């Protein structure tokens, strides 16, 4: 049976789509056409309820084993196969599922400053019209309530950034030598060197890949009364759209998104006040990440840390 040799397993809003696209041209690698199959997130069918847009996303999960394995069947003989689902690191149950089905798998994790990651996550959903809260910190305060209501992990702005505990748990199931840790900023600043690190880790020829494509960044929108009305319409569609075929959803959603994104503004940076408010939530996790990984992430604990990588 065709199964992946490697997984890009984390984290959301840290360049996993760019890494997937950058690795795809390598002649010794085969990346699944479905970028995020999410196979290891469940033991069976995905949930049937959640926050705005969640159920539509759940409908896209490749959760049957035969369908998942079929993703890698077109790989050329001898090519290493892989896929990218950035929620695997966050989902602790996925760690055991991965180790059981893929005992020799290699895992690639792209980590990003957790405050910047959370802010980018919020901005992505706000720009999609799905996040009702226009204030980032207020949206963060809603996280526990949303988790209790069954909203999908992409709404877990701070929980997705608890890398230390997540990596510690992962390493109970996968040996450290089969886990590669990358920084988001290195993928952006030195794509050729970072891609060579990935290729060396996978055991394929280096020097083949030189660039990573830009991240897929949703436009940010102003919080105006007109845009608030459009976002309400998009959230309503997100809650009921799963009842309709995708072409029907697209007919209604695309014009609304185009209208929402007219004259869009640049995404805001994380402010010093926002960073100061959130850093205490991550301090212990960052220290644990350093202990578990043997690498330094102390710069993430600085209030002066530049939030330059904001997609």
């Amino acid at each position: 049976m065709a199964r992946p040799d490697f997984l890009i397993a984390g984290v959301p809003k840290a360049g996993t789509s760019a890494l997937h696209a950058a690795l795809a041209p390598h002649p010794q690698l085969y990346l699944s056409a479905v970028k995020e199959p999410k196979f290891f997130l469940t033991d069976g069918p995905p949930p049937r309820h959640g926050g705005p847009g969640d159920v539509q996303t759940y409908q896209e999960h490749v959760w049957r084993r035969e369908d998942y394995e079929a993703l890698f069947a077109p790989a050329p003989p001898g090519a290493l196969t892989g896929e990218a689902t950035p929620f695997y690191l966050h989902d602790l149950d996925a760690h055991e599922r991965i180790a059981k089905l893929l005992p020799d798998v290699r895992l690639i994790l792209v980590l990003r400053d957790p405050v910047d990651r959370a802010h980018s996550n919020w901005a992505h959903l706000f720009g999609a019209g799905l996040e009702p809260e226009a204030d980032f910190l207020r949206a963060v305060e809603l996280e526990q309530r949303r988790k209790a209501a069954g909203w999908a992990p992409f709404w877990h702005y701070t929980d997705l950034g608890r890398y230390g505990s997540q990596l510690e748990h992962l390493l109970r199931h996968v040996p450290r030598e089969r886990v590669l840790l990358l920084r988001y900023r290195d993928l952006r600043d030195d794509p050729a060197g970072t891609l060579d690190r990935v290729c060396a880790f996978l055991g394929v020829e280096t020097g083949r890949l030189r660039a990573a494509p830009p991240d897929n960044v949703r436009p940010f929108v102003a919080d105006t009364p007109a845009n608030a009305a459009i976002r309400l319409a998009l959230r309503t569609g997100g809650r009921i759209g799963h009842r309709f075929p995708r072409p029907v959803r697209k007919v209604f959603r695309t014009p609304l998104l185009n209208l929402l994104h007219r004259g869009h503004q640049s995404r805001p940076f994380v402010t010093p006040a926002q960073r100061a408010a959130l850093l205490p939530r991550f301090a212990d996790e960052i220290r644990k990440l350093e202990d578990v990984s043997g690498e330094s992430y102390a710069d993430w604990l600085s209030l002066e840390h530049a939030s330059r990588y904001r997609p």
Side-chain angles (χ1 to χ4, degrees):
M1 294 292 183
R3 293 172 185 169
D5 299 295
F6 66 93
L7 303 171
I8 302 172
V11 297
K13 305 308 298 177
T16 56
S17 294
L19 181 57
H20 180 278
L23 293 176
H26 197 293
Q28 295 172 285
L29 300 177
Y30 178 84
L31 280 294
S32 66
V34 177
K35 185 257 171 182
E36 289 188 26
K38 302 183 176 72
F39 174 73
F40 292 103
L41 298 183
T42 62
D43 271 324
R48 297 184 177 181
H49 69 280
D54 286 349
V55 179
Q56 295 174 39
T57 300
Y58 290 145
Q59 290 176 336
E60 299 170 359
H61 282 211
V62 182
W63 60 272
R64 294 180 179 86
R65 183 180 294 190
E66 60 270 24
D67 294 333
Y68 183 67
E69 292 176 342
L71 295 177
F72 309 101
L80 295 181
T81 58
E83 57 109 329
T85 297
F87 295 97
Y88 288 157
L89 177 63
H90 169 264
D91 191 314
L92 303 187
D93 291 334
H95 301 170
E96 184 174 359
R97 297 185 190 114
I98 290 169
K100 183 177 180 180
L101 188 64
L102 308 173
D104 299 317
V105 73
R106 290 183 175 271
L107 301 177
I108 301 165
L109 308 177
V110 190
L111 304 182
R112 181 180 185 180
D113 176 293
V115 177
D116 287 347
R117 196 223 64 80
H119 187 269
S120 180
N121 197 157
W122 162 80
H124 175 104
L125 287 169
F126 189 80
L130 298 176
E131 170 58 75
E133 181 52 66
D135 183 277
F136 169 51
L137 290 182
R138 284 203 294 266
V140 167
E141 293 306 317
L142 293 172
E143 182 172 333
Q144 293 305 315
R145 188 187 310 173
R146 291 170 170 181
K147 288 173 64 177
W151 289 29
F154 199 43
W155 297 93
H156 304 179
Y157 298 144
T158 62
D159 201 48
L160 281 165
R162 302 192 185 283
Y163 311 139
S165 296
Q166 294 161 10
L167 181 62
E168 182 179 58
H169 187 274
L170 176 66
L171 294 181
R172 297 173 191 164
H173 299 277
V174 180
R176 176 67 178 89
E177 62 269 18
R178 288 200 275 111
V179 178
L180 176 65
L181 300 180
L182 302 175
R183 281 177 176 256
Y184 171 75
R185 72 181 187 191
D186 291 337
L187 183 61
R188 299 267 58 84
D189 288 353
D190 181 21
T194 303
L195 293 170
D196 274 350
R197 283 188 63 196
V198 175
C199 291
F201 172 71
L202 296 177
V204 298
E205 185 179 354
T206 59
R208 286 273 191 170
L209 307 172
R210 310 306 302 168
D215 286 315
N216 182 20
V217 181
R218 288 189 182 277
F220 197 74
V221 296
D223 183 27
T224 64
N227 283 347
I230 299 169
R231 291 191 292 109
L232 176 60
L234 286 164
R235 289 197 302 279
T236 301
R239 292 187 182 281
I240 66 173
H242 62 280
R243 302 173 185 172
F244 303 93
R246 181 182 294 183
V248 175
R249 299 200 301 259
K250 189 174 181 179
V251 165
F252 288 93
R253 180 173 174 78
T254 299
L256 286 172
L257 280 174
N258 290 339
L259 188 61
L260 181 66
H261 295 159
R262 73 203 184 287
H264 66 269
Q265 61 188 45
S266 299
R267 284 195 178 195
F269 288 91
V270 177
T271 67
Q274 290 170 335
R275 181 169 294 280
L278 290 187
L279 268 183
R281 301 187 183 216
F282 295 113
D284 288 343
E285 287 292 332
I286 292 171
R287 295 188 186 101
K288 182 181 291 187
L289 174 63
E290 292 186 325
D291 291 340
V292 173
S293 69
E295 302 180 10
S296 176
Y297 296 88
D299 55 314
W300 288 352
L301 290 169
S302 170
L303 286 176
E304 289 72 38
H305 177 70
S307 303
R308 295 170 51 204
Y309 305 91
R310 55 193 175 93

